[in-house]
Amino acid sequence: MSSIKKNFFYNSLLSVSRIIFPLISFPYSSRILGPDGIGKVNFIDSYSQYFCLLAALGIPLYGVREVAKSKHQPEELSKLTSELMLLNFMASVLACVIYFGFAIVTNKYTEYNHLYLLGATSLLLSAFPAEWFFQGMEKFRYVATRSFSLNIVSLILLFILVRTPADLYWYYGITVIILALNVIINLRQLRKETSITLKGLEFKRHLKPLTYLFSSQIAISVYVLLDKVILGYMVDDKYLGYYASALKITKVLLTVISALSIVIVPQMSKAFKNNDSERVNHLYRRAVSFVHSIGCPITAGLMCLSNEIILALTGKDFLPSALCLQIMAPIIFLIGLNNIFGVQILTAKGKEKLLLRCVLIGTVVNVVANLVLIPYWQHNGAAIAILLTELFVALLTGYFAGKEINTGYDWGQLLLNCVLCLPFWGIYYLVRSEQVLLTIFGTAALCGAYYAVVQIFIVRNSLWVDSFDKIKSKLRGADV
């Protein structure tokens, strides 16, 4: 099995676990805490994560790329890892000071003081997991195994500690506990892979590329996290709960698309370093085909089943989230493209400045759209804002990425996959019944079977055909 296929396999297992565990935990927690409780936790978590992104300085992306380049040079790898971890820690301490200062000035600290303290703990801990190191080293088996184990621990703690709406602090505290365990495990493994040193460190060499990536991360974080902060300040907590629920479901499904992104970055970085344009274009075409043929049916299915999914996962109290979920559904596909254009091409090639231009424009679109739409349409206004933002960023990054690798975007393939998804609505209306779970599983099964048959036997999509042939060969081997 090739390194990309093997790493994608492990990253896909990780993505599947990120789908399964939230499907178990989120319905449980949302029913106990309700829209108001979920809204409070999401407000603090978004606020804390915003500062975590600031403290990261763009290192998560930069680290993957640089570690991939230095993985066969032990001394350089040790020096690089030490420099980036120390930079991240110093930035986290500074961010923590600003974090408390802003919370106190805005008079929000007294209302949520315990949640703020938990958020600050996660902010300080965020400097140490060094996830970028293991991704750059392509240790995806380790990452998948560790994450799966910690997800199980998280689920057990949730069922033990969160029993009533008063357990709001335990609900958020579990996140901090798991992060602390992650830090301990990762640091122990890191010492086996490389050494940490304080001698001869050179921080200056990282400043220019990190400045661009840091600026891009700030801009991206505005429309990734600040939408919930704006909602928290402008409308009641329940609307934030509706929005957060729809976004949570969308992000769970987004992990399927994102599984490919971080796996390809080290491979793409090597191809650019070796000036292997043929390899670059091959990786690009395969990635786009994957997003088209997986992202389109996920988006269509989510739009069809929005009401049933909300009822099944969060209950009747969250039904206002259904329209929000429909509006957000296309961002699964759009973020998949943004990962290809922005992360796999522009960042891997060292074109952080171009990526910064794109996300800055997206940030302006997002802030303006949120401020204009939220007062009128609350959570649905925020959903429209994030959809417009991802669309603008996809168009801009796609344009620049195409110029960098001198390859056009396959609009015909996109249109074909969209047309193939139109029968989903007919299947949904045929299957729909008062039994919510029957509607969901029946529609998903029939739509999935129809779509797979078309991709394999009619369209002859190479990704689907190759996977189908491998399954057949394994089944034949099992029979023998």
Side-chain angles (χ1 to χ4, degrees), residues 89-130:
F89 174 69
M90 291 188 293
S92 295
V93 173
L94 177 61
C96 202
V97 174
I98 301 171
Y99 169 95
F100 279 114
F102 192 75
I104 293 169
V105 168
T106 56
N107 295 319
K108 281 280 187 178
Y109 181 74
T110 53
E111 185 179 357
Y112 302 115
N113 58 338
H114 291 96
L115 291 176
Y116 271 109
L117 289 171
L118 289 170
T121 305
S122 68
L123 171 56
L124 289 174
L125 288 172
S126 67
F128 298 104

Side-chain angles (χ1 to χ4, degrees), residues 57-102:
L57 301 175
I59 290 172
L61 278 178
Y62 177 76
V64 174
R65 188 183 75 193
E66 296 305 305
V67 167
K69 292 178 182 177
S70 307
K71 61 188 296 184
H72 300 301
Q73 302 168 279
E75 289 186 10
E76 172 60 23
L77 182 64
S78 172
K79 187 178 176 182
L80 171 71
T81 305
S82 303
E83 289 165 351
L84 295 185
M85 287 188 71
L86 190 55
L87 276 172
N88 199 348
F89 174 69
M90 291 188 293
S92 295
V93 173
L94 177 61
C96 202
V97 174
I98 301 171
Y99 169 95
F100 279 114
F102 192 75

Side-chain angles (χ1 to χ4, degrees), residues 173-188:
I174 290 170
T175 303
V176 180
I177 293 170
I178 296 302
L179 178 57
L181 290 173
N182 191 32
V183 168
I184 294 169
I185 296 169
N186 273 11
L187 287 180
R188 184 177 179 182

Side-chain angles (χ1 to χ4, degrees), residues 19-38:
I19 293 173
I20 293 173
F21 286 106
L23 287 178
I24 299 171
S25 64
F26 191 62
Y28 176 81
S29 57
S30 62
R31 282 174 168 81
I32 289 177
L33 301 178
D36 195 61
I38 292 293

